[in-house]
Amino acid sequence: MSLFSFFSRIKTDPKAEAQGEQYFRQALQYHQYGNQDDAILFFTKSLEVSPNHSNVYLNRAGCFMIQERYLEAYDDYLKVIDMEKKRQSVDGDRASPMALQNIERIKLFLSFEKQNGDKIRGQLANDGFEHFTTRWAEVLSNTHLKNDLNAIKHFVNEEIKELEEMGGVHQEYALNCGIDHSDFVNVTESGTTQQAFVFFKGILCCFSRDPQKMFEIRTTILNKLISISNSSKTVNNISNQKVVYEGGMRLVEAEVDIMFIVKNGEVMYVNNETSHLYEIDKDGDMKLDGRIVNFTFKDSNEVVEIFVAFDDQDSYSMFTMNMGRDERLNYVAQAIFQFMGKNNITNVFSPAAQYSSQYHYTFKLYKKNEKHFMVNNSQSQAYLISENIYKNNNADDIKSEFWEMT
């Protein structure tokens, strides 16, 4: 049984129908293999010889949708609806419900194009391609992705994954853009990129009647976002270098001292101006006259640990008497951020990160041979820190390693 006969409720010219069906079958085959360009070509050929099939318009629109050529898809969906309303389609199965459903899916992009299309196309004509793509890459990065490295990377991976699925030159770009296949193949949608996603699709929709131009704009903007992401990676690598600060980190208003800064397991800072904070205990060891709290700041991309010394009186009030402990710790956390900003220390906290904070308390601190050993009261958690050592393992092992040092 002919596929067109299955669709058709009215008999038409057999020769034209046969040719149209041949093209239609070829188009379906190309579509199933992911070659949307040739699928569109053969759906068009089918319509040229046998133009009264609303289902062919529906299928061609589906290929346009995959390539995000939304204006052309919209034209075909309107054609489907109009043909069936006027009873011009020979197909027995109605395609209008699916056409209406798909128009609903792209209405945001169509609305954006209707309101902004002429203006945005004019910007490209007036500003030139390089300025135009640079401008919109910056808008995406700064405004819609909030200069968040993780969001930029996720957005790029989402776009690269879509391009791979489109086939043809889109897939070729995806596989050769410098992004590792394992980075994008399993990426999922994220709420943090949704605003950028809708905005970018709106921009591209303005050029979707010119697929080559749309492809050039899309890939050029993505290349610029990839460059921003790579630059941020370089900055992040630099950010793990040592913090240089003269005179010891004393938070004067908070009346505490920053003793150590560790970022992603690497020691960035050791306060060597703290001899006055120690006392010699009965065993002749250097012991902090007070307690240490580990202020831990976490983002999806990094963990910053800042070890802060509270004097003995402060420690007793907060942790023994439980007087204003939470308020005091929150105040010190804010003072840490203010201190870094005031002193232009830029490689501890990333400006685009959104940190959650935790406070781990309290620890006794001992010092020997420029190495520092911290242990909590229950002896269940310990740290060993020096300029080049950071260990946070079994407390007994760390304790043994520290006390056995010569």
Side-chain angles (χ1 to χ4, degrees):
M1 180 179 179
S2 167
L3 187 63
F4 267 30
S5 297
F6 178 79
F7 281 136
S8 299
R9 60 181 176 82
I10 301 173
K11 294 298 181 183
T12 54
D13 177 49
K15 185 176 180 180
E17 287 291 288
Q19 184 65 68
E21 180 178 359
Q22 180 181 345
Y23 288 143
F24 181 77
R25 288 181 178 275
Q26 287 178 273
L28 287 177
Q29 190 172 39
Y30 281 122
H31 168 67
Q32 290 165 358
Y33 287 149
N35 185 344
Q36 308 309 323
D37 289 330
D38 283 338
I40 291 168
L41 174 65
F42 278 88
F43 281 133
T44 302
K45 285 179 176 290
S46 178
L47 290 168
E48 287 172 349
V49 297
S50 184
N52 297 319
H53 291 274
S54 59
N55 276 282
V56 180
Y57 281 102
L58 183 72
N59 278 273
R60 187 174 70 174
C63 295
F64 286 140
M65 288 282 281
I66 291 173
Q67 292 193 341
E68 296 179 5
R69 295 161 63 175
Y70 295 137
L71 294 179
E72 291 171 285
Y74 182 58
D75 290 344
D76 276 359
Y77 289 138
L78 291 182
K79 182 68 174 178
V80 168
I81 295 167
D82 185 64
M83 286 179 68
E84 295 188 351
K85 183 178 180 180
K86 296 177 178 178
R87 302 182 62 82
Q88 293 174 344
S89 174
V90 298
D91 294 336
D93 290 344
R94 296 184 70 248
S96 295
M98 183 62 70
L100 288 167
Q101 181 178 328
N102 286 331
I103 289 174
E104 184 69 17
R105 287 173 54 197
I106 60 175
K107 67 179 183 179
L108 279 176
F109 314 130
L110 298 174
S111 176
F112 182 95
E113 190 279 333
K114 184 176 181 179
Q115 295 177 27
N116 304 286
D118 289 340
K119 176 182 176 181
I120 289 174
R121 287 185 289 268
Q123 289 173 350
L124 176 61
N126 295 329
D127 299 342
F129 188 82
E130 179 61 27
H131 180 79
F132 177 87
T133 52
T134 299
R135 173 188 181 185
W136 290 115
E138 290 175 351
V139 169
L140 280 166
S141 174
N142 300 341
T143 303
H144 297 284
L145 296 169
K146 312 299 184 185
N147 286 319
D148 184 333
L149 170 62
N150 292 321
I152 294 171
K153 290 165 61 178
H154 196 95
F155 176 79
V156 168
N157 286 334
E158 286 181 304
E159 287 292 315
I160 298 301
K161 181 180 180 181
E162 282 195 354
L163 287 167
E164 185 198 31
E165 294 170 351
M166 290 181 187
V169 294
H170 305 85
Q171 185 179 70
E172 183 178 350
Y173 169 82
L175 297 177
N176 293 281
C177 67
I179 302 296
D180 193 277
H181 187 263
S182 62
D183 288 342
F184 67 79
V185 66
N186 293 318
V187 71
T188 56
E189 293 183 6
S190 169
T192 60
T193 60
Q194 183 63 28
Q195 184 183 27
F197 177 87
V198 173
F199 178 78
F200 193 36
K201 295 293 185 287
I203 295 291
L204 295 175
C205 184
C206 298
F207 300 94
S208 64
R209 293 195 189 281
D210 185 344
Q212 181 59 35
K213 181 65 67 180
M214 183 174 71
F215 175 75
E216 291 172 358
I217 291 171
R218 184 177 196 167
T219 54
T220 302
I221 290 176
L222 286 176
N223 287 338
K224 293 180 185 297
L225 291 175
I226 291 170
S227 296
I228 291 172
S229 176
N230 289 337
S231 297
S232 298
K233 289 179 184 177
T234 302
V235 170
N236 279 352
N237 290 334
I238 293 172
S239 72
N240 285 338
Q241 294 178 358
K242 299 290 186 181
V243 172
V244 178
Y245 184 80
E246 299 295 333
M249 289 191 182
R250 172 72 176 173
L251 308 187
V252 176
E253 293 185 1
E255 298 182 319
V256 295
D257 295 89
I258 293 177
M259 304 297 284
F260 319 108
I261 299 175
V262 178
K263 184 174 184 179
N264 295 333
E266 297 183 15
V267 179
M268 300 181 68
Y269 173 78
V270 174
N271 191 339
N272 293 314
E273 305 293 331
T274 57
S275 297
H276 62 288
L277 300 179
Y278 291 88
E279 61 181 4
I280 305 299
D281 68 8
K282 62 183 181 180
D283 297 319
D285 300 314
M286 291 184 66
K287 178 183 177 183
L288 180 74
D289 185 18
R291 291 291 187 271
I292 295 290
V293 175
N294 178 359
F295 288 76
T296 302
F297 303 94
K298 292 184 178 181
D299 179 60
S300 58
N301 198 45
E302 60 191 30
V303 177
V304 179
E305 297 175 272
I306 299 183
F307 297 83
V308 176
F310 293 79
D311 66 31
D312 191 55
Q313 182 177 351
D314 205 2
S315 299
Y316 179 79
S317 299
M318 291 170 56
F319 304 113
T320 302
M321 303 300 294
N322 198 22
M323 296 173 57
R325 181 192 62 201
D326 294 342
E327 294 82 358
R328 178 90 169 103
L329 293 175
N330 290 335
Y331 174 75
V332 172
Q334 292 300 316
I336 291 171
F337 281 100
Q338 292 169 5
F339 180 88
M340 299 300 168
K342 181 178 179 181
N343 292 280
N344 199 31
I345 300 172
T346 60
N347 57 339
V348 174
F349 296 113
S350 302
Q354 296 182 348
Y355 295 100
S356 61
S357 58
Q358 294 178 326
Y359 312 135
H360 303 281
Y361 50 81
T362 62
F363 297 87
K364 299 176 183 178
L365 171 62
Y366 299 88
K367 179 179 179 181
K368 183 168 69 170
N369 298 334
E370 306 306 321
K371 294 180 174 63
H372 307 82
F373 169 64
M374 289 175 284
V375 62
N376 63 1
N377 289 333
S378 64
Q379 304 279 311
S380 62
Q381 187 175 9
Y383 297 89
L384 182 64
I385 294 180
S386 70
E387 293 284 354
N388 300 304
I389 296 174
Y390 172 77
K391 293 185 177 181
N392 177 21
N393 300 321
N394 180 274
D396 290 335
D397 292 342
I398 292 178
K399 181 166 57 176
S400 299
E401 182 177 351
F402 177 77
W403 290 118
E404 290 172 3
M405 291 176 179
T406 58

